[in-house]
Amino acid sequence: MAQEEYQKYYVPEQSVWPIVGAVALFLIAVGAGNLTIDITNGNEGYGQWVLLAGIVTLIVMVTGWFRNQIHESMSGLYSDQLGRSYRQGMAWFIFSEVMFFAAFFGALFYARTIAIPWLGGASNNAMTNEVLWPGFEAVWPLLQTPGGIESTQMGWFGLPLVNTMLLLTSSVTCHYAHVGLEQNKRKQLSWMLGLTILLGCVFLGLQVEEYIHAYDIGLTLDSGMYGNTFFLLTGFHGMHVTLGTVILIVLWFRVQKGHFTPDNHFAFQAGSWYWHFVDVVWVMLFFFVYIL
Amino acid sequence: MSTATETAHHGEHDDHHHHAPAGLKRWLLTTNHKDIGTLYLWFSFIMFLTGGAMAMVIRAELFQPGLQIVDPNFFNQMTTVHGLIMVFGAVMPAFTGLANWLIPMMIGAPDMALPRMNNWSFWILPFAFLILLSSLFMEGGGPAFGWTFYAPLSTTYSSDSTALFVFSVHIMGISSIMGAINVIVTIWNMRAPGMTWMKMPMFVWTWLITAFLLIAVMPVLAGVVTMVLTDKYFGTSFFNAAGGGDPVMFQHIFWFFGHPEVYIMILPAFGIISHIIPTFARKPLFGYASMVYATASIALLSFIVWAHHMFTTGMPVAAEMFFMFATMLISVPTGVKVFNWVATMWRGSMTFEIPMLFAIAFVVLFTIGGLSGLMLAITPVDFQYHDTYFVVAHFHYVLVTGAVFSIMAAAYYWLPKWTGVMYDNTLAKWHFWASLVSVNVLFFPMHFVGLAGMPRRIPDYALQFADFNKWISIGGFAFGLSQLIFLALLIKACRKQGEPATSQVWDGAEGLEWEIPSPAPYHTFDTPPLIK
């Protein structure tokens, strides 16, 4: 590495936002915790207000921190080295997200290949089946649990297939938005990014539709392992798509204000990486939750 | 190594940086790696004393057979929160604090790569522990299911406050992940010119690999606590056979996190010891490259050994065999390290300053913990030891005389660099010898009561264990009190009472951090040093 790259060490000024963010997370945790406890016990509590205060604080924090960051970036304070740090940081953050989903996919695979067959008497568990869960048949999707809860299968052909197409298309449009940015075709950038956002929103709308449908046909969060993995995997994915869409919307407004240049656009790159990541997770979901 | 300084242009923010801002704002808003390192270290020490106080409650109850002082539910809360605090509040933040202080100085960087996020990752930690500790005062009590929160103890049978436990663990996880991202990016991207991979100090290497482990497994912990939350409050049945789930699945997911986690708590310790022994043996570290590869091998193997915590859950024999042999394999790279440390001392001009005493104690006592681990790795034997005090003895040897001793060694070793004064040597000697003796009185007899069948996590025990338990408790109180000597010493050093330290501090010390003045200036390298 050449000496010149280090000429502009940049250590940022003190900032009030991290401590605001810490308070925000504290309020969210206390609020969400108390809300959960109160809902379960059927009590009226103050949890939702603390949670709300936490979320508002978090939004203020993110807005303030990013505004500060954008301002510093636009005034040319940042070095290439810092840009690399940001990119690497984002890449590792996405890796941590991958591992978060891996926990839930792991639960799905374990239930399908080990837990449920064993309950059905596989391996050396004949007596488990005979004595504890007589009559239980191990099949996937698990439409009747050992405890006797019934649910219905969610097919892959209708909305899920459409949603897959939507997200895959959005990945392509997101890529062409990036290409537009790199070749300084601002119009292409703006349109393609807008289209990506639109596809993301339609996807989220259809997901809501699908959840309503699922509850109509009797597939719910508490209907055993099939419902658990279905809702937790698609639910966390949906939350990530929501976050990704918000990121892309912010990027779109920044594009309208003339931010980003062909060789300086970390925020855009991070947002697009994130979007591709949620797409890949969806493809995994489509195969392992819906089709197989 | 030598440092070449060259004045460079810093932009308009220079003025803010050359003096430390004062008052509360300095600590709340800081972006300085040294300030944040100090915060982490003090927080960790406060947590160490808090978790230690809980251990005192445990040992007071176990001083005699029969239920004496606390009720069993409170006893369980003490064992649980003691474990959670020591793992997530004491050991991990201490290593992160050391990483913050040392890594930028060791690789010639001006600061951590992402200083504001660094501040965020520290300040969310006290809040997480505030939530965890306050849940102890809620109706029904705090978490009482052991730090491993096995389902269904944490789902069906846990107290109402479990949701708060879950969210506090989420925050601890977020903190660790951000801290780890910061470390990994700093090491990857901020090394001074000439600081090639195989010139990196061992502490930096071990932390690089630790950071990777953290990013890989903390999200899995977040996943498993989330499943506990939904199982308990929202009607899912991940860990409930009636809904097609499996309580054993909890253990699989938990230990997929949990096993790399124990290496997260020991790899940086290996790094520290690999600095201290060469300094006081006045010889370069024996087998530097093999140390690096051994660290990497331990990290990789840590992903395929998790089920050795679960030999008695009824896994297929093939799985038990696989996890047994994979676990035993880890003793190879670990053995490489121990032999390398011993070989470093071989024919060295050794002196026995306090850091070296702690380091030698580490090598000996950690090896005892490692060997009892090897015994536990043997499946048929583990059937006997499982959930006995033998296990408690094992992991306290690796975590207290291993991880905690290494942290103390590090504190003594780098304290003069941080404060600019030498620590009080008399207090330090008292601290070391009192700790060394009491820690063995505390943990060594646990092997015997464990082998004789005393189960862990119980407030009462059979009469034949009474004598040993009395001595264990006496050792425990003595070890607890010994740490107050350390507290006094630290306060003295932080108030700069003591002989001024030179920049090299120790005769044989090598590395970039020993070439800057003591105490280290608020901003170390404004321009990158040149490493030759």
Side-chain angles (χ1 to χ4, degrees):
Chain A
M1 276 179 257
Q3 177 81 12
E4 307 84 63
E5 291 182 49
Y6 288 84
Q7 293 298 303
K8 241 178 84 180
Y9 267 161
Y10 177 71
V11 179
E13 281 185 275
Q14 288 202 333
S15 164
V16 75
W17 299 116
I19 189 78
V20 175
V23 173
L25 286 187
F26 173 64
L27 294 175
I28 288 172
V30 171
N34 281 306
L35 183 61
T36 308
I37 295 166
D38 287 336
I39 288 175
T40 315
N41 295 343
N43 294 340
E44 279 287 314
Y46 56 90
Q48 62 274 33
W49 303 114
V50 181
L51 176 61
L52 192 68
I55 292 170
V56 170
T57 316
L58 190 73
I59 291 170
V60 170
M61 178 279 265
V62 170
T63 316
W65 194 332
F66 280 20
R67 173 171 296 169
N68 192 4
Q69 203 76 4
I70 291 163
H71 175 75
E72 286 174 0
S73 167
M74 300 294 282
S75 33
L77 284 176
Y78 294 169
S79 60
D80 290 348
Q81 190 185 26
L82 197 67
R84 279 198 303 278
S85 289
Y86 284 157
R87 279 173 178 77
Q88 288 176 9
M90 187 67 193
W92 285 108
F93 168 66
I94 290 175
F95 174 62
S96 80
E97 293 269 50
V98 169
M99 292 309 291
F100 180 75
F101 277 99
F104 290 93
F105 276 108
L108 174 67
F109 298 152
Y110 185 88
R112 287 182 59 170
T113 56
I114 298 176
I116 291 171
W118 284 8
L119 289 168
S123 182
N124 58 353
N125 299 285
M127 293 317 280
T128 305
N129 183 255
E130 292 268 313
V131 178
L132 293 177
W133 311 107
F136 170 66
E137 236 182 296
V139 282
W140 189 267
L142 183 72
L143 300 180
Q144 183 166 19
T145 65
I149 302 168
E150 295 191 24
S151 56
T152 319
Q153 183 174 4
M154 178 61 77
W156 60 271
F157 192 72
L159 283 183
L161 185 64
V162 174
N163 263 346
T164 310
M165 292 304 170
L166 286 177
L167 270 197
L168 287 178
T169 314
S170 78
S171 230
V172 175
T173 55
C174 184
H175 174 71
Y176 279 105
H178 196 182
V179 171
L181 172 55
E182 278 177 334
Q183 299 176 346
N184 219 3
K185 295 177 182 158
R186 302 295 290 197
K187 223 173 189 152
Q188 177 183 338
L189 164 63
S190 184
W191 275 103
M192 283 296 167
L193 188 56
L195 198 55
T196 314
I197 295 166
L198 186 68
L199 289 166
C201 291
V202 176
F203 172 89
L204 285 170
L206 290 181
Q207 267 313 76
V208 172
E209 186 75 11
E210 186 180 75
Y211 273 21
I212 295 170
H213 175 63
Y215 268 76
D216 281 345
I217 61 171
L219 177 63
T220 61
L221 179 63
D222 48 12
S223 59
M225 213 43 192
Y226 179 56
N228 301 163
T229 49
F230 177 84
F231 280 105
L232 258 71
L233 277 164
T234 55
F236 276 117
H237 177 262
M239 282 160 69
H240 283 77
V241 175
T242 311
L243 181 60
T245 310
V246 171
I247 294 172
L248 292 183
I249 291 172
V250 173
L251 291 177
W252 190 82
F253 278 107
R254 289 189 63 190
V255 167
Q256 302 317 307
K257 284 181 95 177
H259 292 191
F260 307 127
T261 61
D263 42 39
N264 183 11
H265 52 262
F266 161 70
F268 188 91
Q269 192 157 35
S272 110
W273 280 354
Y274 197 77
W275 194 255
H276 290 310
F277 154 70
V278 297
D279 279 2
V280 171
V281 173
W282 177 261
V283 172
M284 298 281 290
L285 270 172
F286 187 59
F287 275 103
F288 292 113
V289 176
Y290 290 98
I291 294 186
L292 294 177
Chain B
M1 277 180 245
S2 68
T3 48
T5 42
E6 197 182 312
T7 324
H9 175 69
H10 294 297
E12 38 279 62
H13 290 274
D14 259 12
D15 296 345
H16 300 286
H17 291 313
H18 288 303
H19 55 87
L24 188 64
K25 263 178 132 178
R26 165 177 175 187
W27 300 103
L28 285 179
L29 310 183
T30 182
T31 46
N32 180 285
H33 73 101
K34 298 186 182 82
D35 282 352
I36 295 171
T38 307
L39 286 169
Y40 264 113
L41 288 168
W42 272 111
F43 173 74
S44 132
F45 194 60
I46 292 164
M47 283 293 114
F48 178 65
L49 296 178
T50 314
M54 292 174 183
M56 297 300 105
V57 174
I58 295 168
R59 281 329 309 177
E61 174 58 45
L62 293 173
F63 189 72
Q64 285 184 325
L67 294 178
Q68 321 280 347
I69 299 167
V70 293
D71 73 34
N73 185 43
F74 187 72
F75 182 88
N76 286 343
Q77 292 174 42
M78 287 294 102
T79 54
T80 304
V81 182
H82 163 75
L84 287 168
I85 284 188
M86 289 309 198
V87 169
F88 296 106
V91 173
M92 290 169 68
F95 283 134
T96 314
L98 291 169
N100 261 295
W101 251 104
L102 299 171
I103 289 175
M105 296 201 298
M106 285 176 168
I107 62 172
D111 205 298
M112 298 294 277
L114 308 162
R116 285 179 189 152
M117 191 176 83
N118 201 12
N119 187 27
W120 197 23
S121 45
F122 170 74
W123 274 109
I124 62 180
L125 261 190
F127 286 116
F129 283 91
L130 185 66
I131 296 172
L132 181 67
L133 286 169
S134 59
S135 78
L136 285 173
F137 301 100
M138 284 184 64
E139 215 181 304
F145 29 68
W147 86 274
T148 52
F149 58 102
Y150 277 14
L153 295 176
S154 56
T155 53
T156 315
Y157 303 106
S158 59
S159 62
D160 277 355
S161 67
T162 306
L164 290 168
F165 155 81
V166 167
F167 288 112
S168 74
V169 171
H170 273 305
I171 299 185
M172 293 168 203
I174 294 170
S175 165
S176 295
I177 291 169
M178 290 198 294
I181 289 176
N182 221 334
V183 166
I184 220 166
V185 173
T186 305
I187 297 172
W188 212 278
N189 200 23
M190 307 281 284
R191 277 170 293 134
M195 178 64 80
T196 54
W197 288 109
M198 292 311 270
K199 274 188 194 167
M200 274 187 348
M202 270 316 289
F203 182 71
V204 180
W205 256 116
T206 52
W207 241 110
L208 179 71
I209 290 163
T210 304
F212 169 75
L213 289 180
L214 276 167
I215 302 173
V217 301
M218 291 311 283
V220 177
L221 174 71
V224 79
V225 284
T226 305
M227 290 179 218
V228 165
L229 183 81
T230 59
D231 263 21
K232 184 171 170 62
Y233 297 99
F234 300 108
T236 62
S237 37
F238 284 103
F239 311 128
N240 179 0
D246 185 351
V248 175
M249 183 171 84
F250 171 89
Q251 299 183 28
H252 279 292
I253 306 175
F254 177 81
W255 286 113
F256 183 83
F257 146 79
H259 204 80
E261 168 68 19
V262 305
Y263 294 120
I264 286 164
M265 293 189 284
I266 204 67
L267 292 183
F270 291 166
I272 291 164
I273 302 304
S274 307
H275 279 253
I276 293 174
I277 290 182
T279 296
F280 297 102
R282 291 167 184 78
K283 272 176 65 190
L285 182 67
F286 184 89
Y288 167 84
S290 69
M291 285 294 213
V292 172
Y293 297 129
T295 312
S297 324
I298 293 172
L300 289 178
L301 285 172
S302 77
F303 285 104
I304 55 161
V305 297
W306 76 87
H308 67 212
H309 297 268
M310 310 162 48
F311 282 147
T312 58
T313 57
M315 282 185 294
V317 175
E320 309 227 309
M321 290 288 118
F322 171 79
F323 285 109
M324 173 170 92
F325 287 119
T327 305
M328 292 175 142
L329 212 53
I330 291 192
S331 58
V332 177
T334 313
V336 167
K337 284 182 170 287
V338 173
F339 283 116
N340 278 346
W341 290 322
V342 175
T344 307
M345 288 188 267
W346 176 253
R347 296 192 163 176
S349 319
M350 302 236 284
T351 51
F352 299 95
E353 286 86 343
I354 304 296
M356 183 61 160
L357 290 175
F358 270 104
I360 293 170
F362 171 95
V363 174
V364 175
L365 298 175
F366 172 78
T367 305
I368 292 177
L371 291 175
S372 61
L374 206 48
M375 291 167 74
L376 287 163
I378 304 166
T379 311
V381 178
D382 179 75
F383 281 28
Q384 298 298 314
Y385 304 159
H386 187 87
D387 259 352
T388 68
Y389 259 82
F390 190 81
V391 179
V392 180
H394 158 69
F395 69 73
H396 280 97
Y397 263 90
V398 288
L399 282 176
V400 179
T401 58
V404 173
F405 268 33
S406 81
I407 292 163
M408 285 167 178
Y412 284 111
Y413 186 57
W414 281 290
L415 203 56
K417 180 56 63 184
W418 301 335
T419 62
V421 295
M422 297 305 287
Y423 50 78
D424 184 324
N425 206 36
T426 318
L427 284 180
K429 275 183 184 161
W430 273 102
H431 175 228
F432 171 74
W433 288 107
S435 296
L436 181 73
V437 173
S438 60
V439 87
N440 284 293
V441 176
L442 165 58
F443 294 124
F444 206 77
M446 285 186 185
H447 290 110
F448 305 130
V449 289
L451 289 176
M454 179 172 158
R456 61 190 284 211
R457 291 176 175 151
I458 47 152
D460 188 8
Y461 47 84
L463 290 177
Q464 70 266 30
F465 305 127
D467 286 348
F468 273 132
N469 269 287
K470 185 181 72 187
W471 284 107
I472 292 170
S473 285
I474 290 170
F477 301 140
F479 185 68
L481 288 175
S482 313
Q483 304 324 307
L484 299 179
I485 307 174
F486 190 42
L487 177 65
L489 178 143
L490 287 177
I491 291 172
K492 234 179 134 180
C494 288
R495 299 174 75 185
K496 319 237 175 218
Q497 295 168 353
E499 281 174 43
T502 60
S503 35
Q504 204 193 0
V505 184
W506 315 106
D507 272 358
E510 276 184 38
L512 275 181
E513 79 269 31
W514 305 112
E515 298 189 8
I516 51 182
S518 307
Y522 197 59
H523 290 282
T524 320
F525 300 105
D526 286 335
T527 44
L530 200 62
I531 289 98
K532 285 171 190 146

